[in-house]
């Protein structure tokens, strides 16, 4: 549906709503077409979760061990900003390949490895194209999430005492 506007006017499908799109895609292109890019989306979800949760805790622990940081909002901000950076970095290849697979015409790409080779053939750093715009999107989300989480922990502890 999102790519319909990119097609020439005569090739647009002009779906009325998402249910019609699901029905027509499954009928004309096959049911499995609905899952194009699913593997890369799932992989990206795993990587972003690992990048945020595991690295936030690790950064926070390491920062508190230094003489410069205490368990306060500054530490939470720096740890979450760093975790957002790592999450963006480790998800970039999966995100780029996922986008390629989802936007490819039927038969244009033959899976994950073929898409990866196509990206790397033209640009060795192609899997990291658009890093900063993605970090600008994911970084603030990670910061807000973890700072809010830490504030909720403080409120929860206060209310249970």
């Amino acid at each position: 549906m999102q790519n319909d506007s990119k097609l020439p006017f005569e090739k647009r499908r002009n779906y009325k709503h998402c249910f019609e799109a699901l029905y027509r895609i499954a009928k004309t292109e096959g049911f499995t077409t609905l899952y194009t890019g699913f593997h890369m989306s799932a992989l990206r979800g795993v990587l972003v979760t690992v990048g945020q949760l595991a690295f936030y805790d690790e950064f926070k622990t390491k920062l508190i061990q230094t003489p410069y940081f205490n368990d306060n909002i500054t530490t939470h901000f720096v740890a979450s900003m760093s975790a957002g950076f790592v999450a963006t970095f480790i998800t970039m290849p999966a995100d780029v390949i996922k986008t390629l697979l989802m936007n490819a015409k039927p038969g244009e790409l033959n899976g994950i490895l073929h898409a990866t080779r196509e990206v790397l053939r033209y640009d060795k750093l192609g899997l990291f194209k658009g890093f900063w715009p993605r970090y600008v999107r994911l970084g603030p989300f990670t910061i807000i999430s973890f700072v809010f989480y830490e504030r909720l922990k403080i409120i929860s502890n206060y209310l249970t005492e």
Side-chain angles (χ1 to χ4, degrees):
M1 275 180 76
Q2 68 187 25
N3 290 333
D4 207 34
S5 62
K6 296 177 187 174
L7 294 171
F9 190 74
E10 62 277 356
K11 291 188 177 186
R12 291 184 185 171
R13 297 171 191 100
N14 296 319
Y15 302 119
K16 294 177 187 146
H17 46 76
C18 66
F19 298 111
E20 181 196 17
L22 288 170
Y23 175 76
R24 283 176 46 192
I25 290 169
K27 186 177 179 184
T28 58
E29 299 176 41
F31 182 76
T32 56
T33 305
L34 296 173
Y35 289 92
T36 302
F38 165 77
H39 295 95
M40 294 309 292
S41 293
L43 176 63
R44 183 197 178 277
V46 167
L47 292 174
V48 79
T49 302
V50 167
Q52 288 177 325
L53 296 177
F55 282 93
Y56 172 74
D57 271 346
E58 188 63 25
F59 283 126
K60 180 180 155 190
T61 302
K62 296 295 183 194
L63 288 171
I64 291 172
Q65 289 174 352
T66 69
Y68 308 108
F69 290 93
N70 297 316
D71 193 3
N72 57 25
I73 195 163
T74 304
T75 304
H76 305 154
F77 181 86
V78 173
S80 57
M81 186 173 68
S82 303
F85 185 88
V86 171
T88 304
F89 183 78
I90 66 176
T91 59
M92 281 298 299
D95 223 1
V96 168
I97 299 303
K98 172 189 73 98
T99 303
L100 273 178
L101 289 172
M102 291 177 135
N103 290 332
K105 296 177 182 119
E108 185 178 4
L109 296 171
N110 298 323
I112 296 168
L113 291 176
H114 183 232
T116 305
R117 278 194 301 269
E118 288 298 310
V119 170
L120 294 176
R121 181 177 359 160
Y122 297 108
D123 186 1
K124 297 300 179 202
L125 294 175
L127 293 174
F128 294 94
K129 270 211 187 312
F131 176 85
W132 292 111
R134 289 178 202 236
Y135 178 67
V136 166
R137 184 187 67 180
L138 187 60
F141 170 78
T142 306
I143 292 167
I144 290 168
S145 296
F146 284 113
V147 168
F148 187 67
Y149 165 73
E150 294 290 349
R151 296 291 107 189
L152 282 176
K153 276 182 25 182
I154 291 169
I155 292 169
S156 174
N157 288 340
Y158 175 76
L159 292 176
T160 56
E161 289 177 353

